[in-house]
Amino acid sequence: MAAPRVWLLWRVGVFLAALAPLVFWGWQVAINAAGPEPGNYLLLNIGIGGLWMLLLTLSLTPLTKLTRWKGFALIRRQLGLWTLAYASLHMLSYALFILGLNWALLGSELVKRPYIIVGMIALIGLAVLGATSNKWSMRRLGKRWKPLHKFAYIILGLVLLHFFWVVRADLQEWAMYAAIAALVMATRLPPVARTLPKLRYRLSRT
């Protein structure tokens, strides 16, 4: 099979895999299997799905260095845009099911729940990265493009803070995501990043 067709199938597979959770959660709501509060069910699951998408997106660079497989780099922008899509749907779920599209309630919600502000800042950051993830923006920004997109790690920190505030009564799940995030961030440290190609070489020799 020609290489372009293989990469197309790979991208389509990733697209379907990213779409599948949304379809499943929507189906659960449609068949009344999402519990007594389907709006909260969608809000929480889509939010966690967005966190997973962000972690997967940030893990692609170290995976590329470790394996030298082109496929990981090929879907980085795709998963980044899926992260933005999940975050946007999470915000939309909040507007629909919590606010009831009554924006007059937003002020009091921000006072009672400051983690919403953190989530909005993270969403705006993702929107900026999504809007500048194309080749035109890379050419336009030049050397500034990479430093800008390193803000994804700050966004990850904001998302974890947002999630911490939401589930602070039970931190076991949050601690798991924080540990994964710490591992992903550690791979960007220069000493660790330099070790990945050497580790790949050692693994290839075994």
Side-chain angles (χ1 to χ4, degrees), residues 62-83:
L63 283 173
T64 301
K65 290 181 179 180
L66 185 61
T67 65
R68 294 190 70 181
W69 188 54
K70 180 183 176 182
F72 291 128
L74 204 62
I75 61 168
R76 187 163 48 214
R77 180 172 183 265
Q78 183 181 0
L79 282 188
L81 292 176
W82 269 114
T83 303

Side-chain angles (χ1 to χ4, degrees), residues 22-36 38 41-42:
L22 297 174
V23 174
F24 174 75
W25 297 325
W27 175 248
Q28 290 294 97
V29 171
I31 63 174
N32 297 317
Y41 170 85
L42 288 175

Side-chain angles (χ1 to χ4, degrees), residues 58 152-154 156-157 160 180-189:
L58 294 177
Y153 294 94
I154 296 176
L156 176 58
L160 287 170
I180 296 172
L183 179 61
V184 171
M185 289 181 177
T187 62
R188 300 295 292 177
L189 297 173

Side-chain angles (χ1 to χ4, degrees), residues 45-57:
N45 280 290
I46 293 173
I48 293 175
L51 176 54
W52 270 113
M53 286 293 168
L54 182 55
L55 289 170
L56 286 171
T57 302

Side-chain angles (χ1 to χ4, degrees), residues 48-157:
I48 293 175
L51 176 54
W52 270 113
M53 286 293 168
L54 182 55
L55 289 170
L56 286 171
T57 302
L58 294 177
S59 69
L60 292 175
T61 295
L63 283 173
T64 301
K65 290 181 179 180
L66 185 61
T67 65
R68 294 190 70 181
W69 188 54
K70 180 183 176 182
F72 291 128
L74 204 62
I75 61 168
R76 187 163 48 214
R77 180 172 183 265
Q78 183 181 0
L79 282 188
L81 292 176
W82 269 114
T83 303
L84 174 59
Y86 269 74
S88 300
L89 288 172
H90 179 62
M91 181 62 190
L92 180 61
S93 298
Y94 169 75
L96 282 173
F97 304 121
I98 306 301
L99 294 181
L101 296 180
N102 183 0
W103 298 106
L105 296 175
L106 183 58
S108 61
E109 283 286 300
L110 292 177
V111 173
K112 291 188 295 184
R113 300 175 176 86
Y115 58 81
I116 298 171
I117 299 174
V118 176
M120 286 181 172
I121 294 172
L123 177 58
I124 292 169
L126 287 172
V128 171
L129 296 188
T132 57
S133 63
N134 51 72
K135 291 182 179 179
W136 182 86
S137 296
M138 292 177 70
R139 290 194 299 269
R140 187 76 175 176
L141 292 170
K143 293 181 180 179
R144 293 171 294 175
W145 188 86
K146 282 189 176 181
L148 173 64
H149 279 252
K150 285 182 180 179
F151 275 96
Y153 294 94
I154 296 176
I155 293 171
L156 176 58

